[in-house]
Amino acid sequence: MSTARKLAAAVGIAALPLAVASAYAQAPQMTKEEKDASKKVYFERCAGCHGVLRKGATGKNLEPSWTRKLPDGSTQEGGTLKLGTNRLEKIIANGTEGGMVNFDDILSKEEINMLARYLQQTPDIPPEFSMADMMATWKMLVPVEKRPKKPEHKVNIKNVFSVTLRDSGEVALIDGDTKQIWTILKTGYAVHISRLSKSGRYVYTVGRDGLVNLIDMYMSPPQTVATVKIGYDARSVDTSKFKGFEDKYLIGGSYWPPQYAIMDGVTLKPLKIVGTRGMTVDGEYHPEPRVASIVSSEIKPEWVVNIKETGQILLVDYSDIKNLRTTTIESAKFLHDGGWDATKRYFLVAANASHKIAAVDTKTGKLAALIDTKKIPHPGRGANFVHPQFGPVWATGHLGDAVVTLIGTPSDKKGMEKYKANAWKVVQELKVPGAGNLFVKTHPKSTNLWVDLPQNPERELAEAMFVFDLKDLAKPPKKIEVAKDSGLKETKAIRRAVHQEYNEKGDEVWISLWGGKTDQSAIVIYDDKTLKVKKVITDPKMITPTGKFNVWNTQHDIY
Ligand code: DHE
């Protein structure tokens, strides 16, 4: 038995398509070098949507039973299309109407051809990652007793932005008051998110490669004081925020292996790993249920942990991690990203490929609602505001449709009782000029709702933002031409205007203009009232900026 098969048997995935060959054509030839190079591209660009085992989630299933032609070279089997090299090349190069972006602006023709052939090979099963493996990666760079007792500088930490420099494997900490880069720190590859400790002192980042950095902002300049790997492929972290547990623990969720890890919040010392393999809400075993978004409750010592492929939402009680208690809430498959409602009692999460939003009541520990929406909702953390007609709402955009969906949310606040009947209903769908939205954002002090369209195939939409006036939602949104406003010359690669983030005061909006790896990217900062540019940060060190996390807003879940 090969090592891969032994491993598969041990972890219960022996029934995977390890012997698909006979019903389909042979996989195209590849040299070892070609396979290794494509494996890297697949991990960096494809695995997030299609899965390491290629079983599909937000993206389609890419197992050989779909990607290889039939043995006689034909591509049709009872009405189903078998892809083969040419068709795969076209899809990778041009994207699809289903929401996949084109890759011909960042991958060469040769890379696309290799990837098309790679996708017809039987998927490799990557190794597991145990407590011993995790311990071996843990590095304490500055022990707690050697860290400063108070800030060693005068920077207003609350208005610092932690900015992902995706392709250089770094984050930039930018002083939001002066708009100067404070420091740039090496991190894991393509940091997905930054989260703040409850105290607001520490920034936690998680790289796509599973590396977590703990950055101390009391130091001048801030430094990484500890690192640890939580797996080989990861997207989420959050801290413990409940009273009495401030900064005590950190949780990190990984895509591969499918599991989450609990660490000490100020040292990152690994404490516990919990696997997430198991049954989907349909009662089927899944070998790769990845950990998607995680948020930390302020009303209980709990994390809300969303398991993508199974559709199970876990409320993990961290008050006794040796005897961990978990409530498993059944929702819908393909859980992805989400955010709190304005009261912070309910967590709303997109089950994106199921075209639903699940709302969890963290007070009762039950599902409050499962709401049907247009195709592929993608809220980021969503946006909360009081609608002039429908009362409190939470908004999500969509990757697969040209609307922003507004969902009514309950509120005990005085004057809000009259909107009770709107709770968990889609009260309005705001029209946007195209699909391909990733993030929507507002701020309690703002009357604007900013909507991006970075995944839209049209350059003029992907390079712009759209701003709704919350006082009059009957008006179409204003188009903000971010790429033009940056003053940078047009480049071959589309520069996607992505991830709008407010400053601490809620009067500025920071937008990443995410260009190709060798192109000059920028952060374009707008005045939220006048919608005029205030500043463009185009330092050559701004390599592929994506997510930006304002300390105050992230610390307090303000959106
Ligand atoms: Fe993200 C949030 C997963 C592609 C930028 N992204 C998240 C979260 C998940 C996730 C699970 C929620 C984390 C949380 O709150 O705990 N993202 C994935 C994917 O699986 C996917 C589709 C493909 C992949 O391979 O990663 C994907 N994401 C992207 C991008 O292409 C983006 C634009 C740039 C990048 O880093 O690759 C991107 N995702 C972000 C950002 C957030 C995010 C900026 C945080 C939003 C926030 O405001 O909190």
Side-chain angles (χ1 to χ4, degrees):
M1 213 194 233
S2 72
T3 316
R5 276 169 191 259
K6 271 188 213 151
L7 184 66
V11 296
I13 39 184
L16 282 169
L18 295 169
V20 280
S22 59
Y24 306 97
Q26 290 288 314
Q29 295 283 315
M30 291 191 90
T31 63
K32 185 177 176 313
E33 289 72 29
E34 286 180 326
K35 220 176 153 184
D36 288 348
S38 303
K39 193 174 182 172
K40 185 164 181 284
V41 175
Y42 183 81
F43 169 70
E44 290 177 357
R45 306 282 170 192
C46 321
C49 290
H50 299 279
V52 169
L53 303 178
R54 295 199 234 128
K55 292 183 102 50
T58 313
K60 292 252 185 306
N61 180 306
L62 291 176
E63 289 175 295
S65 52
W66 296 105
T67 56
R68 283 187 209 169
K69 290 184 180 175
L70 298 171
D72 64 358
S74 62
T75 54
Q76 287 284 343
E77 188 185 48
T80 3
L81 196 61
K82 307 289 160 186
L83 298 166
T85 308
N86 291 349
R87 180 136 183 103
L88 281 163
E89 280 179 320
K90 284 201 184 95
I91 294 173
I92 300 164
N94 306 326
T96 65
E97 288 191 345
M100 175 172 146
V101 290
N102 59 304
F103 284 93
D104 59 350
D105 57 351
I106 49 172
L107 298 179
S108 66
K109 275 209 164 100
E110 292 68 41
E111 283 173 317
I112 291 176
N113 170 269
M114 284 192 311
L115 190 56
R117 286 183 285 133
Y118 176 76
L119 293 177
Q120 296 169 69
Q121 317 294 320
T122 302
D124 290 329
I125 299 167
E128 298 298 310
F129 193 72
S130 68
M131 192 59 165
D133 295 328
M134 191 176 170
M135 270 293 183
T137 69
W138 177 45
K139 289 193 187 125
M140 258 295 270
L141 305 170
V142 184
V144 179
E145 61 283 5
K146 297 240 166 87
R147 296 180 202 164
K149 300 277 172 287
K150 53 184 192 345
E152 289 176 327
H153 52 75
K154 294 265 178 317
V155 175
N156 170 17
I157 290 180
K158 290 179 191 165
N159 200 28
V160 166
F161 286 72
S162 176
V163 179
T164 297
L165 303 178
R166 188 187 187 285
D167 292 359
S168 66
E170 294 169 321
V171 293
L173 296 183
I174 302 182
D175 179 336
D177 292 353
T178 63
K179 306 191 173 43
Q180 299 297 315
I181 299 174
W182 189 12
T183 190
I184 293 185
L185 294 162
K186 275 274 157 224
T187 55
Y189 170 69
V191 158
H192 219 84
I193 60 169
S194 293
R195 294 288 186 246
L196 264 293
S197 68
K198 173 70 186 160
S199 65
R201 167 181 182 163
Y202 293 111
V203 177
Y204 302 98
T205 64
V206 60
R208 187 170 288 244
D209 53 3
L211 186 72
V212 171
N213 279 47
L214 168 59
I215 300 166
D216 185 359
M217 287 192 294
Y218 278 7
M219 298 170 103
S220 182
Q223 276 182 42
T224 296
V225 292
T227 58
V228 72
K229 257 178 97 96
I230 55 169
Y232 301 108
D233 189 4
R235 300 292 182 279
S236 48
V237 279
D238 212 345
T239 181
S240 51
K241 291 191 174 170
F242 187 62
K243 209 165 176 293
F245 292 88
E246 295 91 341
D247 298 10
K248 193 171 166 55
Y249 297 125
L250 185 76
I251 180 170
S254 69
Y255 267 16
W256 189 271
Q259 58 198 31
Y260 61 86
I262 301 174
M263 295 144 272
D264 183 284
V266 294
T267 65
L268 299 187
K269 183 179 178 199
L271 300 174
K272 194 175 188 95
I273 297 181
V274 182
T276 53
R277 288 189 176 100
M279 308 306 273
T280 69
V281 289
D282 300 336
E284 239 182 277
Y285 177 75
H286 201 291
E288 190 189 356
R290 298 176 286 170
V291 179
S293 47
I294 301 181
V295 290
S296 184
S297 166
E298 301 222 9
I299 61 167
K300 283 184 184 177
E302 268 180 6
W303 291 300
V304 184
V305 180
N306 298 283
I307 312 299
K308 188 186 288 288
E309 278 76 6
T310 57
Q312 312 280 11
I313 301 172
L314 311 180
L315 301 181
V316 178
D317 179 339
Y318 54 73
S319 58
D320 180 1
I321 61 167
K322 279 276 172 220
N323 303 285
L324 202 67
R325 265 183 310 172
T326 304
T327 306
T328 304
I329 300 173
E330 195 176 301
S331 68
K333 288 193 290 191
F334 312 120
L335 296 171
H336 193 74
D337 52 352
W340 293 105
D341 76 316
T343 67
K344 306 229 167 74
R345 168 174 169 174
Y346 300 96
F347 181 71
L348 292 101
V349 55
N352 63 12
S354 299
H355 320 302
K356 288 184 198 308
I357 294 288
V360 177
D361 182 348
T362 57
K363 193 167 169 192
T364 60
K366 292 191 172 148
L367 188 74
L370 201 51
I371 305 136
D372 287 312
T373 65
K374 290 271 161 53
K375 270 173 86 179
I376 323 179
H378 191 287
R381 284 173 284 173
N384 288 293
F385 61 95
V386 178
H387 190 290
Q389 195 183 341
F390 301 112
V393 295
W394 177 88
T396 177
H398 292 258
L399 260 166
D401 210 319
V403 293
V404 171
T405 301
L406 306 185
I407 295 170
T409 55
S411 169
D412 297 336
K413 270 204 180 148
K414 227 172 148 227
M416 295 291 140
E417 312 83 7
K418 58 177 184 267
Y419 301 114
K420 217 172 152 193
N422 291 337
W424 313 131
K425 293 199 178 117
V426 173
V427 293
Q428 192 174 8
E429 286 171 344
L430 304 173
K431 291 235 168 330
V432 283
N437 165 264
L438 285 182
F439 303 106
V440 289
K441 192 63 68 75
T442 185
H443 188 279
K445 295 205 182 114
S446 169
T447 56
N448 287 330
L449 175 69
W450 292 71
V451 180
D452 66 5
L453 294 180
Q455 304 296 92
N456 192 287
E458 300 295 328
R459 181 184 285 266
E460 59 140 338
L461 297 181
E463 294 190 341
M465 283 263 163
F466 296 85
V467 183
F468 285 94
D469 178 356
L470 296 180
K471 298 185 296 314
D472 184 1
L473 285 161
K475 275 194 301 197
K478 272 201 186 123
K479 183 177 183 191
I480 307 288
E481 304 206 39
V482 184
K484 286 208 177 113
D485 289 346
S486 75
L488 296 173
K489 284 206 192 99
E490 190 171 305
T491 47
K492 183 180 169 235
I494 293 179
R495 291 157 305 165
R496 300 175 197 278
V498 69
H499 199 249
Q500 52 284 39
E501 175 80 338
Y502 276 86
N503 61 343
E504 178 205 354
K505 282 196 195 137
D507 59 7
E508 280 172 5
V509 177
W510 292 42
I511 295 168
S512 297
L513 190 63
W514 172 19
K517 192 174 176 180
T518 52
D519 299 328
Q520 179 63 61
S521 290
I523 293 181
V524 187
I525 304 171
Y526 289 89
D527 182 305
D528 185 52
K529 277 229 154 58
T530 62
L531 305 184
K532 296 263 177 317
V533 178
K534 275 182 95 169
K535 168 99 183 163
V536 182
I537 304 177
T538 51
D539 192 293
K541 294 196 275 298
M542 283 290 116
I543 299 163
T544 56
T546 50
K548 296 159 301 308
F549 303 87
N550 173 270
V551 167
W552 182 256
N553 294 331
T554 310
Q555 185 187 350
H556 299 282
D557 295 295
I558 298 171
Y559 36 79

